[in-house]
C-alpha cells in the first residue's frame, strides 16, 4: 500500500497513456484556464503530464517553516487540502506555452468550484509519468510557488516552468531521518554490496526488448567467496513506492545489525519490484510479464552459482512489508518447494473477501460505498479515518493513468483488455465492482482461495512456512484480510504463524522502544533457527 508519501518505512512505455479524464465534481458554467510556459527548465521540447496544484495560502503558510512555502504538493493525510488539475502535453518547446483547463481533469473538483480567496499555486511537468508512484522526482520541471487571488472573472497569472528537480545518480543517499548507526555503517555496507541485476530472457521475450530483473546482494561480515562456508539467504523486497535506488537505509541497517551480532550472518538479496505500472509483486501476469518465473528460474539459480548460498529450501527465506509482504506471501505459496518460509509483514490483501475492507465477492460489491451507503475508509490514524477509497481512486486518476496503487493492483491481477491495458476491477466514477474481473482475480491471485483449493498438494511443502505479522491498528486496515487468511488456514488445520501486534500501525510495526528494526532482528533469528536448528 501507500508508503513513501505517508511515513518512512522499510519502504511502459509512455504510449500506454489513456485518454480518460476526471471531470469536476461540481461542473462550472465557465471554465478556468491557466497558461503555463516552458521558461528555462529545459532546453529541449518536453512531453509529459502537466499538473497544477493549488492550496489556500494561509493554511499552507501556517504549516510551513518561517511561513515560507517551498512547494505545493499532495498530502495523503489531508488529500482534499490541495486541488490538482492535469493535462497531457506533447513536445512543449522552450519559450512556448500551453493552456490548461483547470476544470476538465481535476481533483477534488474543478478549480471554478474553489472558494474565492488567496491561494498558492505551482505547476509541475512530469516527463516520465511517475508522479502517481514516486511523487515529485528528479527530472520533473517545476514553476515557482506563486500567490494567486482566485475570484470570479479575475484572470490567472501565467506560471513559468523555470527549474528542473535535480536528478540524483547516487543510490546510497540516506533519508535525513536515518539513525546515526545506519549512517556509520553505510561505508562498510556499501563495500559488501554488489549489483546482481541480469537481463531476463523470459521478460525480454514477453516485452520484445531487453528487460532486467534488478537486485543488490549484501554479504555478511567475514564472507569469503573462496571459503567453504555457506550462508542462509534472505530475499527481501520493498513496498509500494520503493525501487532499486531506495535500498540504502535497509542495507545499512541490516549490515550494522549483523556486524553488531544483533542479527545472524546471512546473505541478503534486495529485490526491486518497481515498474512504471506500480509494483509487479513477482507474479506472472498477462500485463506485466513473467516476473515470478524470472526470479525463480533465472535470477536465483544465477545467484546460487556466484555466491556461497545454502542453495536449498531450508536456507532460502522471504521478507517484505506491505506490497512487499503480499509479494513474499505469493512467492512462498506459489513456489513452496523453493523457499523455506516467508515472514510477511502487513501484507496487502491476501483474501479478497476483505480487499481494503470490501468483500469483492459480495453481490453488488462497491469499492466506494458500504451496503448502508457510507464511505469505505482507506486510511486511519489513531482511530480517526483520514481518507476513503473514493478520494484516493479519483485523485490517482488525475495524477496519471498508471503507477497509482489501485492501478498497480490491476496491472498484476486483471485480465488484459481489448485496448492492451488491464481491465479495471471497478468503475472509477461509481465504485461499482466488475464481477467478471473479480472472478479472474479469484482464480489467479486470491492467495487464500488458491491455498484452500490446492491444499492437498501444497501441504507437504507449505505447512508451517507462513509467518504473517500485522498491527491491530494497521493504517490501511490490512489486519482484516490477515484474519480472513488465518481462518482459511485454521480450517485446513494447517500450521501457520499469525501475529497481531496490539496498537501497531503500518509504520511502527518493526519498532520497539528506540529500536526501529527490533522486529526485523527477531525475524532474522527465527529464519536462522530454521536454517541452522542445532545452532
Amino acid at each position: 500500500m501507500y508508503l513513501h508519501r505517508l511515513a518512512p518505512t522499510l519502504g511502459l512505455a509512455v504510449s500506454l497513456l489513456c485518454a480518460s479524464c476526471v471531470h469536476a465534481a461540481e461542473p462550472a458554467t465557465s471554465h478556468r484556464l491557466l497558461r503555463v510556459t516552458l521558461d528555462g527548465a529545459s532546453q529541449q521540447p518536453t512531453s509529459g503530464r502537466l499538473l497544477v496544484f493549488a492550496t489556500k495560502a494561509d493554511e499552507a503558510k501556517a504549516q510551513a517553516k518561517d511561513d515560507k512555502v517551498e512547494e505545493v504538493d499532495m498530502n495523503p493525510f489531508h488529500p482534499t487540502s490541495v486541488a490538482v488539475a492535469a493535462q497531457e502535453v506533447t513536445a512543449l518547446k522552450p519559450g512556448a506555452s500551453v493552456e490548461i483547463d483547470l476544470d476538465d481533469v481535476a481533483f477534488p473538483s474543478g478549480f471554478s468550484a474553489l472558494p474565492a480567496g488567496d491561494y498558492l499555486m505551482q505547476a509541475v511537468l512530469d516527463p516520465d509519468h511517475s508522479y502517481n508512484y514516486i511523487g515529485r522526482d528528479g527530472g520533473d520541471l517545476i514553476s515557482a510557488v506563486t500567490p494567486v487571488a482566485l475570484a470570479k472573472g479575475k484572470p490567472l497569472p501565467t506560471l513559468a516552468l523555470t527549474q528542473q528537480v535535480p536528478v540524483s545518480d547516487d543510490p546510497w543517499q540516506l533519508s535525513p531521518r536515518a539513525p546515526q548507526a545506519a549512517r556509520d555503517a553505510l561505508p562498510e555496507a556499501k563495500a559488501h554490496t554488489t549489483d546482481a541485476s541480469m537481463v531476463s530472457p523470459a521478460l525480454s521475450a514477453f516485452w520484445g526488448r531487453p528487460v532486467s530483473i534488478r537486485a543488490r546482494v549484501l554479504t555478511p561480515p567475514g564472507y569469503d567467496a573462496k571459503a567453504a562456508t555457506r550462508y542462509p539467504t534472505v530475499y527481501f523486497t520493498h513496498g509500494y513506492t520503493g525501487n532499486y535506488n531506495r535500498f540504502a537505509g535497509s542495507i545499512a541497517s541490516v549490515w550494522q545489525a549483523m556486524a553488531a551480532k544483533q542479527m545472524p550472518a546471512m546473505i541478503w538479496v534486495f529485490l526491486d519490484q518497481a515498474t512504471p505500472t506500480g509494483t509487479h509483486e513477482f507474479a506472472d501476469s498477462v500485463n506485466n510479464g513473467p516476473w515470478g518465473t524470472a526470479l525463480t528460474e533465472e535470477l536465483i539459480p544465477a545467484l546460487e552459482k556466484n555466491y556461497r548460498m545454502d542453495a536449498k529450501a531450508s536456507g532460502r527465506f522471504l521478507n517484505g512489508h506491505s506490497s512487499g509482504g503480499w509479494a513474499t506471501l505469493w512467492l512462498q505459496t506459489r513456489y513452496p518447494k523453493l523457499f523455506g518460509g516467508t515472514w510477511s509483514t502487513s501484507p496487502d490483501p491476501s483474501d479478497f473477501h476483505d480487499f481494503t475492507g470490501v468483500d469483492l465477492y459480495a453481490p453488488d460489491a462497491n469499492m466506494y460505498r458500504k451496503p448502508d451507503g457510507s464511505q469505505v475508509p482507506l486510511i486511519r490514524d489513531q482511530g480517526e479515518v483520514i481518507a476513503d477509497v473514493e478520494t484516493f481512486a479519483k485523485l490517482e486518476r488525475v495524477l496519471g493513468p498508471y503507477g497509482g496503487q489501485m492501478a498497480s493492483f490491476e496491472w498484476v491481477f486483471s485480465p488484459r483488455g481489448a485496448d492492451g491495458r488491464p481491465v479495471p476491477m471497478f468503475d472509477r466514477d461509481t465504485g461499482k465492482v466488475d464481477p467478471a474481473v473479480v472472478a479472474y482475480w479469484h482464480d489467479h491471485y486470491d492467495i487464500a482461495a488458491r491455498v484452500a483449493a490446492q491444499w492437498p498438494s501444497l501441504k507437504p511443502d507449505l505447512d508451517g512456512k507462513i509467518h504473517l505479522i500485522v498491527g491491530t491498528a494497521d493504517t490501511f486496515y490490512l489486519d482484516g484480510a490477515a484474519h480472513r487468511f488465518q481462518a482459511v488456514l485454521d480450517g485446513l488445520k494447517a500450521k501457520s504463524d499469525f501475529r497481531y501486534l496490539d496498537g501497531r500501525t503500518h509504520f511502527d510495526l518493526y519498532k520497539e522502544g528506540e529500536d526501529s528494526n527490533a522486529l526485523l532482528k527477531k525475524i532474522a533469528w527465527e529464519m536462522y533457527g530454521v536454517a541452522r536448528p542445532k545452532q
Side-chain angles (χ1 to χ4, degrees):
M1 293 299 291
Y2 304 89
L3 295 177
H4 171 62
R5 300 176 211 166
L6 293 183
T9 187
L10 284 175
L12 295 160
V14 170
S15 61
L16 291 173
L17 287 170
C18 71
S20 64
C21 65
V22 178
H23 293 282
E26 300 177 21
T29 55
S30 60
H31 285 205
R32 282 196 176 275
L33 303 177
L34 175 75
R35 187 161 293 279
V36 179
T37 302
L38 181 53
D39 185 13
S42 174
Q43 300 305 312
Q44 302 294 328
T46 306
S47 302
R49 194 164 186 85
L50 178 62
L51 303 169
V52 175
F53 299 92
T55 189
K56 288 188 175 181
D58 56 350
E59 295 178 2
K61 290 178 180 178
Q63 298 177 15
K65 186 177 181 181
D66 299 326
D67 291 335
K68 186 176 182 181
V69 180
E70 300 288 346
E71 65 179 29
V72 182
D73 202 355
M74 304 310 302
N75 181 348
F77 272 122
H78 302 283
T80 59
S81 66
V82 176
V84 57
Q87 181 173 300
E88 286 299 315
V89 172
T90 302
L92 181 62
K93 296 179 180 179
S97 62
V98 61
E99 196 169 59
I100 177 173
D101 185 337
L102 300 178
D103 291 313
D104 187 23
V105 182
F107 173 89
S109 67
F111 279 35
S112 290
L114 295 177
D118 293 327
Y119 287 78
L120 297 177
M121 297 180 68
Q122 187 172 31
V124 180
L125 181 56
D126 174 25
D128 62 0
H129 298 85
S130 64
Y131 216 97
N132 243 329
Y133 185 76
I134 209 167
R136 198 165 301 183
D137 194 29
D140 289 349
L141 313 183
I142 62 175
S143 75
V145 175
T146 304
V148 176
L150 285 184
K152 186 176 181 179
K154 187 171 184 178
L156 297 174
T158 297
L159 299 185
L161 299 170
T162 58
Q163 302 177 50
Q164 184 179 64
V165 178
V167 177
S168 173
D169 296 324
D170 181 11
W172 295 100
Q173 288 184 344
L174 291 175
S175 163
R177 293 178 289 267
Q180 188 59 45
R183 296 185 178 282
D184 294 341
L186 186 62
E188 280 294 307
K190 183 177 178 180
H192 285 79
T193 303
T194 54
D195 172 59
S197 305
M198 63 174 288
V199 174
S200 162
L203 290 167
S204 299
F206 179 88
W207 286 103
R209 57 180 171 82
V211 175
S212 293
I213 182 169
R214 303 208 293 175
R216 300 186 188 276
V217 176
L218 171 67
T219 52
Y223 178 84
D224 184 347
K226 297 180 180 180
T229 304
R230 292 187 176 273
Y231 297 87
T233 304
V234 182
Y235 291 89
F236 169 91
T237 189
H238 57 75
Y240 182 79
T241 74
N243 62 32
Y244 182 73
N245 288 329
R246 289 186 168 182
F247 282 132
S250 296
I251 291 174
S253 295
V254 170
W255 170 265
Q256 185 272 329
M258 288 196 295
K261 300 190 183 303
Q262 297 169 340
M263 287 171 57
M266 297 193 289
I267 296 173
W268 286 70
V269 181
F270 294 85
L271 298 168
D272 177 25
Q273 64 156 324
T275 75
T277 67
T279 51
H280 56 65
E281 308 290 324
F282 288 102
D284 286 358
S285 160
V286 295
N287 301 301
N288 287 331
W291 284 96
T293 297
L295 173 65
T296 59
E297 297 183 12
E298 298 171 354
L299 182 63
I300 289 178
L303 293 176
E304 292 180 347
K305 288 180 180 179
N306 293 311
Y307 294 89
R308 306 297 294 175
M309 297 175 171
D310 281 358
K312 55 185 178 181
S314 62
R316 298 188 196 101
F317 304 109
L318 296 157
N319 173 238
H321 186 71
S322 196
S323 292
W326 192 95
T328 50
L329 266 183
W330 173 257
L331 288 169
Q332 183 62 70
T333 55
R334 176 65 180 81
Y335 307 98
K337 294 179 183 293
L338 187 64
F339 299 104
T342 185
W343 279 254
S344 302
T345 61
S346 306
D348 286 348
S350 51
D351 186 320
F352 296 161
H353 285 96
D354 190 329
F355 192 81
T356 64
V358 178
D359 182 354
L360 297 184
Y361 306 123
D364 300 318
N366 192 292
M367 285 295 295
Y368 295 164
R369 299 286 176 174
K370 297 180 181 180
D372 64 5
S374 61
Q375 289 278 2
V376 175
L378 179 65
I379 300 176
R380 60 182 170 181
D381 182 49
Q382 298 180 347
E384 178 185 355
V385 175
I386 300 298
D388 54 66
V389 175
E390 182 174 8
T391 295
F392 263 88
K394 291 185 174 179
L395 168 59
E396 186 177 287
R397 187 165 57 167
V398 172
L399 293 179
Y402 59 84
Q405 177 69 88
M406 296 300 170
S408 178
F409 287 136
E410 290 166 341
W411 275 91
V412 179
F413 301 149
S414 286
R416 180 181 292 178
D419 61 356
R421 294 176 57 85
V423 181
M425 185 268 284
F426 66 99
D427 186 291
R428 296 310 197 264
D429 289 322
T430 66
K432 180 177 174 55
V433 168
D434 186 333
V437 177
V438 168
Y440 185 93
W441 282 33
H442 171 276
D443 293 346
H444 293 83
Y445 299 107
D446 185 319
I447 293 176
R450 184 178 182 278
V451 170
Q454 301 182 23
W455 184 244
S457 61
L458 291 173
K459 179 178 178 179
D461 301 301
L462 185 58
D463 210 18
K465 291 183 177 180
I466 293 175
H467 307 262
L468 193 157
I469 308 168
V470 64
T472 61
D474 185 82
T475 311
F476 305 106
Y477 300 86
L478 295 172
D479 49 318
H483 280 290
R484 288 270 193 173
F485 187 25
Q486 182 181 10
V488 169
L489 292 175
D490 289 349
L492 297 168
K493 300 189 183 308
K495 298 175 185 176
S496 64
D497 168 29
F498 281 72
R499 300 174 225 174
Y500 303 92
L501 304 190
D502 188 43
R504 295 300 176 84
T505 73
H506 206 69
F507 301 113
D508 62 6
L509 190 74
Y510 279 66
K511 186 175 182 178
E512 289 184 13
E514 297 300 315
D515 188 351
S516 59
N517 284 314
L519 179 59
L520 186 64
K521 293 168 184 174
K522 290 182 179 180
I523 287 172
W525 284 111
E526 290 172 12
M527 292 173 172
Y528 197 74
V530 174
R532 303 287 188 269
K534 295 182 179 180
Q535 297 181 32

